[in-house]
Amino acid sequence: ETLFGAIERSTVVRNMAYRIVMENLKKKDVHLQVIDSVPVSRSDKVSVKDMKITPQPKEKSYQGREGVLMWDEVLKPGDKKEIVVEFVVTYPKDMPVIGL
């Protein structure tokens, strides 16, 4: 629950972030396709804002599905790369959001 001083708010604001780490432990190049999804609001009561994705995906609506992202990476032996996704979700306190 989000409070401002002693005043209780009727909405919940959640800052969310996650990191995907890829590392090549083989002795040859490895081609990876990473497919992941980010939340997409289907209700006017829920908002997803301030979406920051680093690095940007190759496709933002993979196979025509909104919110499904695809990265296409080649890792050389010993290489390590990461994908960072950050966003803010706001929703009514009495309407819990499933899947976050």
Side-chain angles (χ1 to χ4, degrees):
E1 298 175 11
T2 306
L3 298 174
F4 181 71
I7 302 170
E8 189 170 339
R9 294 174 67 182
S10 61
T11 59
V12 176
V13 179
R14 293 181 73 184
N15 293 315
M16 308 286 292
Y18 61 92
R19 177 183 321 224
I20 300 169
V21 179
M22 305 164 280
E23 185 174 10
N24 182 2
L25 301 174
K26 296 189 176 205
K27 294 181 181 180
K28 60 181 181 175
D29 290 0
V30 174
H31 178 254
L32 293 173
Q33 252 189 358
V34 178
I35 300 170
D36 197 15
S37 62
V38 294
V40 175
S41 177
R42 304 262 187 244
S43 167
D44 59 344
K45 295 179 182 179
V46 179
S47 71
V48 180
K49 297 180 182 175
D50 300 330
M51 183 77 62
K52 296 176 191 160
I53 304 169
T54 309
Q56 289 296 309
K58 181 178 180 181
E59 290 187 47
K60 289 192 175 184
S61 292
Y62 182 67
Q63 294 183 343
R65 295 181 288 175
E66 185 180 10
V68 178
L69 312 174
M70 192 272 290
W71 291 265
D72 201 13
E73 299 286 338
V74 175
L75 296 174
K76 299 203 177 293
D79 273 2
K80 187 175 186 179
K81 292 184 181 179
E82 64 183 35
I83 298 168
V84 178
V85 179
E86 301 175 72
F87 52 90
V88 177
V89 179
T90 306
Y91 56 92
K93 181 179 171 183
D94 60 345
M95 182 183 145
V97 177
I98 297 173
L100 288 180

